[in-house]
Amino acid sequence: MLRATLACIDLVLFGALIMSGLAVVVCRPWGIDPAAAASLAGALFGAAALLLGNWINRVNEKFKAEKKLADQIDKLKTLIASELVDVAIGLMSAKQLVDAAIVSLQAGGPVTQTLDISPYRPRQMLFTDTMGVELLSLDEATIDALAILRSNLALTRQSMEEIAADANFGLLKATSLSNALGHDMRVLSDAFTHIAPHRRLILEDAEPELVTEILRRAAQPPVDPVQQPG
């Protein structure tokens, strides 16, 4: 704010000095002779040039500072995006496991009640979680998206730990967990739209696809084999 005010003052004074110099040359106030008028005008023009130089320097400094901040934000988002990709892969693996169990249960197939889902808990975002004031360089919407994601992942992680501790994995718990994982994936997709909207991921032999689209598709509930046509 202070720099912007100083820049405006420099420009105003620059304009005033230029106009004053021109007035001295053209009008020669107080009846001064041409030589004196030229000297006075030269001094005014010189002062105006200094002010213009100050203004240009401030503009350059502001541009460099903004570019440096933008570069830092880009690098920060790149690191966070890599971590989000890891989280996305973990969530998709977990949901595939749970959805497969749901389909099997709905079809009357066997599913062990002691299914170990602890290895499929949402992965920690170690880099993002240890960041402090660096996060404040991001815009408010991005910070909110990351905060919501971290909160949802923590809740799902806790639910999976509770389910893993209870040796009774049935359809109700599987469906609840699948819904929670699907919700996390939609929240993660929203985070990607702020952090890396153009980030692509290659799954198996498929073509590279936007992570946001992959997550939204994978977040859908499993198809009930009983209701499936055919």
Side-chain angles (χ1 to χ4, degrees), residues 104-187:
S104 179
L105 289 168
Q106 289 174 336
V111 172
T112 175
Q113 291 188 339
T114 58
L115 182 66
D116 185 13
I117 59 174
S118 56
Y120 294 88
R121 289 173 298 179
R123 298 174 183 177
Q124 297 281 356
M125 297 191 296
L126 299 178
F127 173 75
T128 306
D129 290 343
T130 55
M131 291 178 61
V133 295
E134 294 91 344
L135 280 176
L136 296 179
S137 61
L138 303 174
D139 61 88
E140 185 175 340
T142 302
I143 296 174
D144 289 345
L146 288 174
I148 294 172
L149 174 63
R150 291 167 66 181
S151 176
N152 278 272
L153 291 178
L155 290 174
T156 302
R157 193 178 297 113
Q158 180 180 355
S159 296
M160 294 181 75
E161 290 173 353
E162 293 173 354
I163 292 174
D166 182 11
N168 186 17
F169 187 77
L171 180 59
L172 182 61
K173 289 184 178 180
T175 302
S176 175
L177 181 55
S178 176
N179 292 336
L181 290 168
H183 177 69
D184 289 348
M185 292 163 77
R186 286 187 289 271
V187 173

Side-chain angles (χ1 to χ4, degrees), residues 32-138:
I32 58 177
D33 59 81
S39 297
L40 179 57
L44 292 172
F45 291 148
L50 289 175
L51 290 173
L52 181 61
N54 288 338
W55 178 79
I56 292 174
N57 287 335
R58 286 196 179 95
V59 170
N60 286 335
E61 289 176 1
K62 180 182 178 182
F63 174 77
K64 290 179 181 178
E66 290 176 347
K67 187 177 185 302
K68 182 179 179 180
L69 178 60
D71 290 342
Q72 290 176 343
I73 292 175
D74 286 342
K75 292 177 181 177
L76 184 62
K77 285 186 174 182
T78 299
L79 292 172
I80 295 176
S82 298
E83 198 163 49
L84 293 184
V85 168
D86 183 56
V87 173
I89 293 173
L91 287 177
M92 287 188 288
S93 297
K95 195 167 188 305
Q96 287 175 357
L97 175 71
V98 175
D99 287 355
I102 291 175
V103 171
S104 179
L105 289 168
Q106 289 174 336
V111 172
T112 175
Q113 291 188 339
T114 58
L115 182 66
D116 185 13
I117 59 174
S118 56
Y120 294 88
R121 289 173 298 179
R123 298 174 183 177
Q124 297 281 356
M125 297 191 296
L126 299 178
F127 173 75
T128 306
D129 290 343
T130 55
M131 291 178 61
V133 295
E134 294 91 344
L135 280 176
L136 296 179
S137 61
L138 303 174

